[in-house]
Amino acid sequence: MSAIRWLIKLFYLPVFLLAGNGIAIYLVGPGHADAWLALLLSGFVGLSFICEKVVPYDPTFNLSQQDQGTDFIHAIVNESLNILGLLMLPLVGQAFSLIDLWPSSLPLPLQLVVAILIADMGITLAHFASHRFQSLWKLHAVHHSSRRLYGFNGLMKHPLHQLIETVAGTMPLLLMGVPHNIMLLLVVAVVLQLLLQHSNVAYFSGPLKYILAINSVHRFHHLNTAKEGDVNFGLFTTLTDRILGTAYFDSSRKIAIKDLGISSEPDYPTHYMGQLLQPFK
């Protein structure tokens, strides 16, 4: 068992980051149905649950905090909205594309990297603004109400806040004339990254933690006070955080359940409809 645990720690990050996106790139090629991408993501969600049981960062993060059903509904609703957005993309793309600046001559993997870097900056800035403006924070607080961190609750967001971040991340791409297949790959990359970022797997990251916005970095963002949690806003990378001066990491800090949630709102609703309506109260 110790060998299996070591292999999971070693390969978890590259499997999600490289293999997951690599398979997605293969699946968007000619002759493959887009539905295979949904099956791919479902497989990685299942893999994250298994690995969190075998190599947990904190075993108590695997225990339900009256949140599993709520997180499942969040995931279904938000990913359904992503699919709807993709179906509307041809019409939306025509409406917003001003000039064809997209580097279509690059290989598909490099086009995806370009899309990730552009979207990452837009999403990070929207995330940063959500901690500065009360109207945005009320929507974003749904995500911060989580009392534990595990891969699946990376998909736990108020749908209106997801829409705000999605627009911030994709509008520059649409203006540049991004093709449909790159947007498909970007959605897959976002879901895989959210699983990685909130994962309860104690995987090895080495110096990559200073470049990538992975779980050991993102846990600090979920600390339950504004003083401590006002750091590490990036989705994919820490690059925008370094520009903003909000990048932070402390290798000696162990984050537990008592450190999570929203200290000023300890009774935040745990059921879906309550979380959906809470920002408007």
Side-chain angles (χ1 to χ4, degrees), residues 55-199:
V55 193
Y57 165 78
D58 186 333
T60 61
F61 286 1
N62 288 332
L63 304 177
S64 176
Q65 303 293 316
Q66 299 179 322
D67 56 2
Q68 281 188 326
T70 301
D71 288 350
F72 181 78
I73 297 173
H74 275 293
I76 294 297
V77 170
N78 292 336
E79 292 314 301
S80 296
L81 291 174
N82 280 335
I83 293 171
L84 179 61
L86 288 170
L87 293 174
M88 295 175 59
L89 186 61
L91 180 61
V92 175
Q94 289 178 5
F96 287 99
S97 181
L98 297 179
I99 185 171
D100 187 8
L101 294 175
W102 189 256
S104 301
S105 60
L106 291 177
L108 205 57
L110 288 182
Q111 289 187 52
L112 176 58
V113 171
V114 171
I116 286 174
L117 292 175
I118 293 173
D120 184 50
M121 179 170 287
I123 292 170
T124 303
L125 291 174
H127 191 178
F128 179 78
S130 298
H131 284 250
R132 296 295 182 276
F133 299 99
Q134 186 68 10
S135 58
L136 293 178
W137 166 251
K138 287 181 178 181
L139 295 172
H140 184 47
V142 170
H143 181 66
H144 277 270
S145 68
S146 178
R147 295 176 175 86
R148 61 175 174 143
L149 288 175
Y150 70 112
F152 201 51
N153 71 2
L155 306 176
M156 173 196 175
K157 297 182 179 183
H158 196 286
L160 290 179
H161 194 265
Q162 174 171 278
L163 175 63
I164 291 168
E165 287 191 335
T166 299
V167 170
T170 60
M171 188 56 68
L173 300 174
L174 294 174
L175 293 173
M176 294 173 66
V178 63
H180 183 259
N181 60 348
I182 298 299
M183 290 299 293
L184 277 173
L185 290 173
L186 181 61
V187 169
V188 172
V190 167
V191 175
L192 290 174
Q193 179 61 20
L194 288 171
L195 290 170
L196 272 176
Q197 192 177 58
H198 296 80
S199 174

